[in-house]
Amino acid sequence: MDIFRTDNGLAQGFRAAADVVAALGIPYAAPPFGDGRFRAPLPAPAWTGVRDCTEFGPIAPQSAELPGAPVWSPGDEDILTLNVWTPASASASGGGRLPVLVWIHGGAYTFGSSAQPDFDGTVLARAGLVVVTFNHRIGFEGFGHVPGGAAVGHPDNRGLLDQVEALRWVRENIAAFGGDPGNVTIAGQSSGAASVACLMVMDRARGLFRRAIAHSPASPCYTREIAAATTREIAAAAGCPATPEGLTSMTPQALVAAADQVVEAYRRDPASGSRHYDPSLYAPVLDGDVLPVDPLEGMAAGAARGVDLLVCHTTEEYWLLDAVGSCAKVTTDEQLALFARDFGLPDDLVPDCRAALPDAPVSDLYLTVFGDLLFGEYSNRLAETHARAGGRAFLSRFDRRRTGPDGTVRAWHCADVPFAFGTLDDEAVAFLLGGTPTPADHGLSRRMVRAWADFAADGNPGWPSLDGNHGRASLDGDPGRPLGENSASQARTWAADGDAAGGRRASRRAAWAGVGFPVLRP
């Protein structure tokens, strides 16, 4: 029988496939509501008997309805649960020998869950991993600033604290599932990847993992002042005081609805600044405690030197956000100029991009710059900064696109995830892929699954790292040349028609030289 002994009780799993066992919806912390609302996670209560762990647990409060995934229902409270997939052979023997991969879902810190079909761990378990996915608090429950902060028992970054608690559960319990608690890799995409970067520089997470995978990490973090201003906006929309008492009096549903109202107001107002273009209200907060330093700053100081890092981004990130209507349309030169001013971009950046892409319409220039600004360039800087500080860093890019009767499906945000999980055949991801996967797509997926599995096992995904001679040597032998000028040649580019070293598309990195990442202000 597929029963696992955890610290809190026995968990009954099931055969996800003939050779893989899964256990879903295992609590790793107590429900974060009632007296525990807006507080650090509390220990999960023990249970008696055998708990049925054959279905995902409830997801965190949100208004999103994602393809193939459950929706949140008001009253769902036991949201801090996790899921494990393990090879059946490891399940039978136990002993804690296999590398562990712990996945953190994305969704702009506002939506998403571990129950999304593309995060199924069966294929990665077949590749020799014990796979863990989990839900954590998002939206205001997880990342909203409560005035007074930790001093009144309401710390910032509660979603990050949940992630640390899940990693502690892994350390204490994963051996029962055949995993090695001393060989844990954390992985995430988008806000999940940015969470990975935060965990790498957080004291509370130190020692809980040895490797990290970040696909399309999103910048930036927020200052406490920005987070506090956002809280005032949400409280005003909810009709309550921006105080601990006022916010606690609002139901999770009311705060979700209030945040949606604030987002819609930004969408409708082109004069509202940088948040107009893709209103994301939440981000990790630089509170000096849970998150003591910005990830780039911490990595530059060597805070994560002992952690191996694998970074990937897609080559056309923002085309997805445009396709689903979550970002503003920019179609004229005047709108593009306003966009550049709102983000504080250098005067020559857009002209340089136009020179690199002379035939592109304004909308393509906008999506190119926006995608590089929030994802592409930040991905490169994470890898380069880590390598400069003495860490091992690997860089890759996802460049698979598909042209069909309905047009071209780009190498856009999120498209890489089902390839890395091996979940291409799930109909819920057909939109991301542009239809039914081809044999070439399956070949690409096998290579990406293998790269993740090998990296989690021993830190080698199959191509050179940016450290040592690979990342520091310059093309002309000048040791003083910035690392970024050579890192592109060390990156793996994933494409269905064959992988390559370096990028196949014109690089825009020169245009970004010296650009600091903007702080998004309400």
Side-chain angles (χ1 to χ4, degrees), residues 15 61 89 100 115 118 148 159 188 266 308 319 323 327 344-345 404 451 500:
R15 291 292 171 122
S89 57
V100 180
D118 37 340
Y266 278 114
D308 297 337
W319 266 263
C327 66
L345 303 181

Side-chain angles (χ1 to χ4, degrees), residues 319-335:
W319 266 263
L320 176 71
L321 290 307
D322 178 65
V324 300
S326 77
C327 66
K329 298 289 185 182
V330 170
T331 59
T332 69
D333 288 329
E334 292 76 13
Q335 290 174 323

Side-chain angles (χ1 to χ4, degrees), residues 253-349:
Q253 185 179 18
L255 293 182
V256 168
D260 287 347
Q261 290 178 39
V262 174
V263 165
E264 185 60 24
Y266 278 114
R267 288 196 198 283
R268 291 177 178 275
D269 183 6
S272 59
S274 57
R275 272 189 175 167
H276 163 68
Y277 299 93
D278 191 1
S280 297
L281 301 184
Y282 303 109
V285 180
L286 296 170
D287 63 345
D289 177 20
V290 175
L291 185 58
V293 65
D294 177 87
L296 280 175
E297 224 178 288
M299 288 185 190
R305 188 177 293 122
V307 177
D308 297 337
L309 175 62
L310 169 58
V311 177
C312 182
H313 67 90
T314 74
T315 54
E316 296 167 306
E317 296 273 5
Y318 243 84
W319 266 263
L320 176 71
L321 290 307
D322 178 65
V324 300
S326 77
C327 66
K329 298 289 185 182
V330 170
T331 59
T332 69
D333 288 329
E334 292 76 13
Q335 290 174 323
L336 185 60
L338 178 60
F339 164 79
R341 289 197 299 272
D342 284 340
F343 279 91
L345 303 181
D347 292 341
D348 58 352
L349 192 146

